[in-house]
């Protein structure tokens, strides 16, 4: 096997719980049988004995009884005499089985629990191309595609198990930039393998999604248009979707990136995104399908000289006027921030502006801008903060987490042995699923769980790894672009520092640093983007003093001598954080070295090598960013440290 | 035919000279027959009648008589009664025939002339890869290679004719970065086609050269070393060269890039470049072969924080100590400047430091850093200035032109219809050959010749095109990196502005711009690179006042308020030149439009499209460079023009 089972490998876990000798179940559907299988494997590993397996309508003996009714996701684990009952829908029982295993592995004192998911849609988006490459992939190649072929094999099953074990219930397997053979995923050419895959997925409670090429009526259908209001186009989609859903009854629906970064879309025909999304939504409605429509739409041919256009406004400018116009099987997929997965951004204001539209939050665990899985950057606390952010919509429950009907993440997986390039990036894959299932979980709680599941029960190890994980996002932020300004990375590649790399380009991502000031004025005296927020966020962000320090330069153009809430000037903050960040990154290496004898050599060496690279890269970030500002401002570091 | 004959297409030229009815010759060698063929073709086109062809030991009638003896390159054209005699060695007669054609096409009153080349070696270096790509190629793909195969066809003949017509007598056809199949050019696999090619070349007086992979003894020979002092290695080369020259008796020799930018070389074994070059030289000596050894050796893993290391020193530091240690069939190939083909550099100091070593000057007509053949940049005046630069070696004749035994240029050709991407880049191909043949020719004289040969005899057109060509290099310099500092271009790609693109990288190419100063101190108070020049250059360059303005920032770290000889401050010079340069580039478009009816539509439109692109690109350069310095210095433009 050329891949790890990650947190499903329980070889080192032990339990002596009294119910481990028997697993009974009342329902032969695939999900319940998969739950039985998981328990059998895990209990065998943890007790050294294969449990007795009993099919029973109502088992009452010593042991575990999986009691499934319907297909729902909620579950309850409770004791009834000598029986530990896991009760729920078929998906719920599967989740319950994984919850029980997790409890046993982690040595939880209390195994009884009653859970239902925070959000109905918990998804991963893969940016895998049909040729086997992965856009923004940092973990090898695709395990879904190779040379145009769809792969369905044992790894597909392990993938589904990993997702189900943390509660993910949907996965879009191909890149939203749909090109080449991927356009033909909705044709007979791929139905056979897709059906196999969708059935494997369904057995683990996962809906298969595909990304669509909006221009498919032209590329596949031979039409001369993809105009959503052209009847021929709608008819083409209707026929195509009928054929596709008949071949793939377990299909969940489609993800669409339209009119964005060169992708075709309804704008080409003077139509709105609602026109475009609804046409597709109507074609998939008869089959219960959903259309997930990405809101990542902006002018990517901006003139850097133009101070009026503000990319951060684009999402609201484009979609707020369409509120209420989308069919109810359309879900708008909104990136967490208004720009693009930077290490720090404010929450997208659009979450606060859609009152009559389904929407979901899109995160990125592929660490495109956060160290590309060569740096450790545990993102769960950040996602938790986003979900907890109040949008002040007037509703009683008004956090992002309350508003959305689902969450998705651009996946960080590939065909590397450890799935995620960096072993510690596994915590993001695990953690995203866990947080999506239960948005009330703390990032630390999730980290501790993952550590225990992946490295085993070892308190000292847990403390150290948890310390590294929990500090990793703040540390990454410290040595990167300061105070929410973002984008000081190598253009295109997005790894390593290049302070002016995006400054004179067409992407709308500028910091405008001069000798005296830095930052963009997004208040009403500037681009007015702060007006897109509801009060009191609007006033807080627009006020240079009230605006949180970490977002100061996102919203304000400030002199380097401006004093932050922290009491430091902007420039001294830059110097201090960069020295600190690089120092902490170096410290991670030393912390890790203490764990040498606490895990196998492979796990130890893989992470060590990446932490060493990170510490060198962090020093480079420190020196480039600090020197950039030193040369520009000529304001010396108060502590007299070396600048170049 | 999917390629143009460029200046060999005489369809529109006319002559009524009295000798055009007959071409006689005294020698049936390939070169003389090729000369006869050129005259026949040209005269037929220009007179409308096919000349009579007469083989004669000593023709004395009305007509042209090619009188060849030996193989030399010198020739004389003189009248003897009714006969116009072209007398010389076989190569000389060929050059004489081309000179006569040129005189007729241009309508020269005086056709009689006596010429010998300024330099014995006049070469082109092609950076063509075996797969058909061209490194730094801006004119399509290779016409020498496709998918590992060597191409020998009609285009090969036209290529040889073009080179011979301007006096080029050597061509290295493969990239100095020798990889993949190109390593096997010195094996039987390629001998057949190479022999064909070398014989075609020889018929036009051109020696075929190949670039060698220094690691060939390991990659081809299966040895575990390429140590030049290892007898097995030398024996391997001796045997390989014997076989190669026996198969390819017309081969001129080899070009070698060793120990540079990741290429293998003698340093790997603690040997010197003399050890490496001499080993190869001894292997090719029995066959009259030459080893052309590139001096482009420097540390390309430099730490940008390190102020002591100076890439500009590297060439002298590496090669001056080896003076006198190279065998006499080794030629050191020295780039014109100490860094790398920037739009402005001082002359390489190494030209002044080698007293007992053969050397040649390497230029680049591939416009890697000078607009990539999308901008017009006629480089011949620049090359002429380099060749005319006195190096003060103590010898009576001490210019670069005097010192070198040859000149070469990285070629700007590819398989585009017009060979050079930009039609006007044809002037660099033509001009480099003409200048190499006669280093006393002025750039304007050469431009006028080329214009007449390519566009026909049209005075107004000639004035306009010559104006554009002659201003093009100064204009390009104006809107690029200022005052000799170089490198403010997109990393890797080298097109378009990126002021800090190379500032924090490993390439040793920095400008060190701060709020107060810019430039490198290369005087004795800095890296001491000026010490590598002989007096008085040394003192002139080291003195910030005496140093020529155009090289100020190459040699000096100066405040932006420093006043240049021109009377302008550094910053105002930057602003002014960038506004001027962009304005002039825009003016080129208007000038060109006036020529619409003076040439065929293809020639007109091709250049127009590129000039339009250039004018947009020049405006981008202007705004990015000016805004970069404005933001950094906050010194306003005296003329109040818009900065961003």
């Amino acid at each position: 096997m050329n891949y790890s089972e990650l947190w499903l490998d329980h070889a080192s876990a032990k339990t002596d719980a009294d119910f481990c000798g028997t697993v009974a179940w009342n329902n032969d559907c695939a999900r319940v049988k998969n739950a039985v299988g998981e328990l059998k494997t895990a209990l065998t590993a943890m007790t050294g004995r294969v449990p007795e397996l009993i099919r029973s309508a109502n088992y009452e003996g010593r042991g575990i009884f999986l009691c499934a009714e319907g297909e729902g996701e909620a579950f309850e684990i409770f004791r009834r005499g000598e029986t530990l009952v896991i009760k729920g829908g078929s998906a719920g029982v599967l989740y319950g089985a994984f919850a029980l295993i997790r409890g046993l592995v982690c040595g939880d004192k209390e195994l009884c629990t009653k859970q239902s998911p925070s959000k109905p849609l918990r998804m991963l988006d893969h940016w895998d191309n049909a040729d086997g490459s992965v856009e923004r992939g940092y973990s090898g190649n695709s395990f879904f595609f190779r040379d145009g072929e769809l792969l369905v094999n044992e790894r597909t099953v392990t993938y589904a198990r990993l997702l189900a074990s943390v509660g993910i219930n949907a996965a879009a397997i191909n890149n939203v930039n749909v090109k080449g053979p991927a356009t033909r995923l909705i044709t007979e050419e791929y139905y056979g393998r897709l059906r196999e895959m969708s059935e494997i997925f369904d057995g683990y409670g996962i809906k298969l999604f595909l990304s669509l090429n909006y221009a498919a009526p032209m590329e596949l259908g031979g039409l001369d248009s993809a105009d959503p209001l052209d009847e021929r186009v709608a008819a083409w989609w209707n026929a195509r979707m009928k054929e596709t859903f008949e071949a793939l009854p377990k299909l969940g629906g489609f993800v669409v990136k339209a009119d964005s970064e060169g992708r075709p879309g309804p704008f080409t025909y003077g139509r709105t995104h609602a026109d475009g999304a609804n046409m597709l939504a109507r074609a998939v409605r008869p089959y219960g399908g959903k259309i997930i429509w990405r809101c990542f739409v902006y002018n990517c041919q901006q003139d850097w000289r133009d101070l009026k256009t503000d990319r951060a406004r684009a999402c609201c400018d484009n979609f707020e006027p369409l509120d209420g116009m989308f069919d109810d099987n359309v879900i708008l997929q909104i990136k967490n921030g208004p720009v693009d997965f930077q290490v720090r951004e404010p929450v997208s204001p659009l979450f606060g502006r859609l009152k009559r539209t389904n929407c979901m939050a899109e995160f990125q665990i592929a660490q495109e801008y956060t160290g590309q899985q060569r740096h450790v950057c545990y993102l769960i606390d950040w996602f938790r903060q986003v979900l907890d952010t109040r949008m002040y919509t007037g509703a009683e429950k008004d956090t992002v987490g309350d508003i959305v009907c689902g969450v998705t993440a651009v996946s960080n997986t590939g065909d590397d042995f450890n799935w995620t390039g960096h072993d510690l990036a596994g915590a993001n894959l695990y953690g995203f699923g866990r947080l999506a299932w239960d948005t009330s979980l703390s990032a630390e709680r999730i980290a501790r769980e993952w550590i225990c599941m992946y490295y085993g029960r070892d308190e000292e190890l847990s403390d150290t790894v948890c310390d590294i994980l929990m500090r990793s996002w703040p540390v990454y932020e410290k040595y990167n672009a300061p105070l929410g300004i973002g984008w000081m990375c190598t253009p295109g590649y997005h790894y390593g520092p290049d302070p002016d790399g995006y400054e004179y380009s067409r992407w709308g991502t500028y910091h405008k640093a001069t000798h005296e000031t830095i930052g963009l004025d997004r208040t009403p005296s500037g681009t007015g983007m702060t007006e897109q927020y509801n009060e009191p966020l609007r006033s807080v962000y627009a006020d240079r003093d009230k605006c949180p320090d970490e977002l100061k330069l996102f919203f304000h153009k400030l002199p380097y001598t401006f004093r932050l809430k922290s009491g430091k000037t902007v420039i001294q903050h830059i110097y201090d954080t960069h020295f600190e960040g690089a120092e902490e990154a170096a410290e991670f290496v030393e912390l890790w070295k203490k764990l040498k004898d606490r895990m196998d050599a492979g796990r130890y060496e893989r992470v060590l090598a990446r932490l060493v690279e990170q510490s060198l890269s962090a020093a480079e970030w420190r020196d480039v960013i600090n020197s950039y500002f030193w040369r520009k401002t000529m304001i010396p570091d108060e502590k007299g440290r070396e600048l170049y």
Side-chain angles (χ1 to χ4, degrees), chain A residues 22-95:
Chain A
T22 301
V23 177
W25 71 99
N26 74 338
N27 183 322
D28 283 328
C29 76
R31 291 177 191 163
V32 176
K33 293 186 100 169
N34 283 334
V36 172
E38 292 298 329
L39 285 168
K40 180 184 163 197
T41 307
L43 296 176
T44 304
M46 294 171 75
T47 65
R49 285 176 300 113
V50 181
E52 192 181 2
L53 303 183
I54 301 175
R55 172 69 166 85
S56 160
N58 197 5
Y59 182 75
E60 293 191 330
R62 175 180 293 197
I64 300 165
F65 177 47
L66 305 182
C67 180
E69 201 180 306
E71 299 198 324
E73 295 189 317
F75 68 89
E76 189 173 1
I77 302 177
F78 56 91
R79 287 188 180 268
R80 190 172 62 196
E82 290 191 310
T83 316
L84 190 76
V85 181
I86 305 181
K87 187 173 179 182
S90 60
V93 162
L94 181 67
Y95 293 142

Side-chain angles (χ1 to χ4, degrees), chain A residues 2 19 74 90 135 149 179 221 265 367 400 419 421 428 489 529:
Chain A
N2 61 351
F19 48 74
S90 60
E135 185 165 329
E149 194 192 343
K179 282 170 278 191
Q367 294 172 229
V400 173
W419 299 76
N428 284 326
C489 58
M529 186 258 175

Side-chain angles (χ1 to χ4, degrees), chain A residues 84-358:
Chain A
L84 190 76
V85 181
I86 305 181
K87 187 173 179 182
S90 60
V93 162
L94 181 67
Y95 293 142
F98 280 118
L100 177 61
I101 293 168
R102 184 163 54 238
L104 292 170
V105 172
C106 296
D108 291 355
K109 291 204 179 64
E110 182 53 71
L111 296 168
C112 294
T113 178
K114 186 174 178 181
Q115 298 185 24
S116 58
S118 298
K119 292 291 149 188
L121 188 55
R122 308 174 301 280
M123 188 163 180
L124 283 186
D125 284 336
H126 293 267
W127 287 357
D128 293 25
N129 297 313
D131 64 5
S133 61
V134 180
E135 185 165 329
R136 309 302 175 187
Y138 311 108
S139 319
N141 291 315
S142 176
F143 50 79
F144 291 124
F145 297 96
R146 186 185 301 140
D147 300 333
E149 194 192 343
L150 188 70
L151 307 175
V152 184
N153 51 39
E154 273 304 305
R155 190 160 190 162
T156 318
V157 177
T158 305
Y159 168 77
R161 293 174 58 218
L162 288 166
L163 264 54
S165 74
V166 292
I168 298 286
N169 68 356
I173 61 168
N174 66 302
N175 188 357
V176 289
N177 294 316
V178 185
K179 282 170 278 191
T183 301
R184 302 196 300 272
L185 284 170
I186 51 170
T187 70
E188 204 174 11
E189 183 178 341
Y190 286 100
Y191 289 156
R193 290 279 176 88
L194 282 173
R195 185 172 178 130
E196 260 188 274
M197 185 179 281
S198 68
E199 284 171 358
I200 291 170
F201 280 15
D202 188 68
Y204 289 94
I206 301 162
K207 284 279 190 202
L208 173 67
F209 280 72
L210 299 173
S211 294
L212 274 190
N213 182 343
Y214 195 83
M218 299 162 78
E219 291 183 29
L220 295 180
L223 299 183
D224 57 2
S225 167
D227 180 351
L229 300 192
D230 182 328
E231 280 176 22
R232 296 169 308 150
V233 173
W236 185 87
W237 278 115
N238 289 342
R240 175 85 0 229
M241 292 296 97
K242 181 169 193 290
E243 184 188 296
T244 300
F245 276 93
E246 279 173 5
L248 306 172
K250 305 288 191 195
L251 194 64
F254 299 95
V255 180
V256 189
K257 176 177 181 180
D259 288 315
S260 172
E261 298 180 334
R263 303 305 303 162
F267 281 176
T268 313
Y269 307 100
R271 313 305 183 191
T272 69
H273 282 272
D275 294 329
N278 291 342
M279 172 196 61
L280 294 171
R282 286 158 202 170
V284 303
R285 165 178 294 283
Y287 321 102
K290 293 189 190 311
I291 295 298
I292 297 178
W293 192 267
R294 292 182 92 226
C295 296
F296 187 53
V297 176
Y298 66 99
N299 172 9
C300 69
Q301 296 286 351
Q302 191 175 328
D303 187 335
W304 59 269
R305 300 164 193 80
D306 166 15
L307 286 169
K308 297 269 172 283
T309 307
D310 179 0
R311 172 168 166 179
R313 291 188 59 105
C315 193
C316 259
D317 284 347
N318 281 308
F319 287 93
E320 189 181 342
L322 302 177
D323 187 27
M325 297 169 68
F326 290 94
D327 284 9
D328 64 5
N329 60 329
V330 174
I331 303 172
L332 295 189
Q333 181 170 305
I334 305 170
K335 287 193 178 186
N336 62 277
V339 187
D340 189 17
F341 297 140
Q342 300 303 291
V343 68
R344 174 75 71 171
E345 294 184 39
V347 168
S348 174
L350 187 58
F351 290 117
R353 291 304 180 100
L354 299 176
K355 294 193 184 327
R356 293 164 295 148
T357 305
N358 298 318

